[in-house]
Coordinates of all heavy atoms in Angstrom, one line a residue:
W743 N 3.9 15.1 15.3 CA 3.2 15.3 14.2 C 3.9 15.4 12.9 O 3.5 14.7 11.7 CB 2.3 16.5 14.5 CG 1.5 17.0 13.4 CD1 1.9 17.9 12.3 CD2 0.0 16.8 13.2 NE1 0.9 18.1 11.4 CE2 -0.2 17.6 11.9 CE3 -1.0 16.2 13.8 CZ2 -1.5 17.7 11.4 CZ3 -2.2 16.3 13.3 CH2 -2.6 16.9 12.1
N744 N 4.8 16.2 12.9 CA 5.6 16.6 11.6 C 6.3 15.4 11.1 O 6.3 15.1 9.9 CB 6.5 17.7 11.9 CG 6.0 19.1 12.1 OD1 4.9 19.2 11.7 ND2 6.6 19.9 12.8
Q745 N 6.9 14.6 12.0 CA 7.6 13.3 11.6 C 6.5 12.3 11.0 O 6.8 11.7 10.0 CB 8.3 12.7 12.8 CG 8.9 11.3 12.4 CD 10.0 11.4 11.4 OE1 10.5 12.4 11.0 NE2 10.2 10.2 10.7
A746 N 5.4 12.2 11.8 CA 4.4 11.3 11.1 C 3.8 11.7 9.7 O 3.5 10.8 8.9 CB 3.3 11.1 12.1
M747 N 3.6 13.0 9.5 CA 3.2 13.4 8.3 C 4.2 13.1 7.2 O 3.8 12.9 6.0 CB 2.9 15.0 8.4 CG 1.6 15.2 9.2 SD 0.1 14.6 8.3 CE -0.1 15.9 7.3
A748 N 5.5 13.4 7.7 CA 6.6 13.1 6.7 C 6.5 11.6 6.2 O 6.7 11.3 5.1 CB 7.9 13.3 7.2
V749 N 6.3 10.6 7.1 CA 6.2 9.2 6.8 C 4.9 9.0 5.9 O 5.0 8.3 5.0 CB 6.2 8.4 8.0 CG1 6.0 6.9 7.7 CG2 7.6 8.5 8.8
N750 N 3.8 9.5 6.4 CA 2.5 8.9 5.9 C 2.1 9.6 4.6 O 1.4 9.2 3.9 CB 1.3 9.2 7.0 CG 1.4 8.3 8.1 OD1 2.4 7.5 8.2 ND2 0.4 8.3 9.0
V751 N 2.6 11.0 4.4 CA 2.2 11.7 3.3 C 3.4 12.1 2.4 O 3.6 11.7 1.2 CB 1.4 13.0 3.7 CG1 1.0 13.7 2.5 CG2 0.3 12.6 4.6
T752 N 4.5 12.9 3.0 CA 5.6 13.4 2.2 C 6.4 12.2 1.5 O 6.9 12.4 0.4 CB 6.6 14.1 3.0 OG1 5.7 15.2 3.9 CG2 7.6 14.8 2.2
S753 N 6.4 11.0 2.1 CA 7.1 9.9 1.5 C 6.6 9.6 0.2 O 7.2 9.1 -0.6 CB 7.2 8.7 2.5 OG 5.9 8.2 2.6
M754 N 5.3 9.6 0.2 CA 4.6 9.1 -1.1 C 4.8 10.2 -2.2 O 4.9 9.9 -3.3 CB 3.1 9.1 -0.8 CG 2.8 8.0 0.3 SD 0.9 7.6 0.2 CE 0.9 6.4 1.5
V755 N 4.9 11.4 -1.8 CA 5.4 12.5 -2.8 C 6.7 12.3 -3.4 O 7.0 12.3 -4.5 CB 5.2 13.9 -2.3 CG1 5.6 15.0 -3.3 CG2 3.7 14.1 -1.9
L756 N 7.6 11.9 -2.4 CA 9.1 11.8 -2.8 C 9.4 10.5 -3.6 O 10.0 10.6 -4.6 CB 9.8 11.8 -1.4 CG 9.8 13.1 -0.6 CD1 10.8 12.9 0.6 CD2 10.4 14.2 -1.4
M757 N 8.7 9.5 -3.3 CA 8.8 8.2 -4.0 C 8.2 8.4 -5.5 O 8.8 7.9 -6.4 CB 8.3 7.0 -3.3 CG 9.1 6.5 -2.1 SD 10.8 6.0 -2.6 CE 10.4 4.7 -3.8
S758 N 7.0 9.1 -5.4 CA 6.3 9.4 -6.7 C 7.3 10.2 -7.6 O 7.4 10.0 -8.8 CB 5.0 10.0 -6.5 OG 4.2 9.1 -5.8
R759 N 7.9 11.3 -7.0 CA 8.8 12.1 -7.7 C 10.0 11.4 -8.3 O 10.4 11.7 -9.4 CB 9.3 13.2 -6.8 CG 10.3 14.3 -7.3 CD 10.6 15.3 -6.4 NE 9.5 16.2 -6.1 CZ 9.6 17.2 -5.2 NH1 10.7 17.5 -4.7 NH2 8.4 18.1 -5.2
A760 N 10.4 10.4 -7.6 CA 11.6 9.6 -8.0 C 11.1 8.6 -9.2 O 12.0 8.3 -10.0 CB 12.3 8.8 -6.9

Side-chain angles (χ1 to χ4, degrees):
W743 167 281
N744 289 337
Q745 175 59 24
M747 289 294 284
V749 174
N750 288 2
V751 183
T752 307
S753 71
M754 298 191 181
V755 177
L756 297 179
M757 284 302 300
S758 297
R759 179 176 291 179

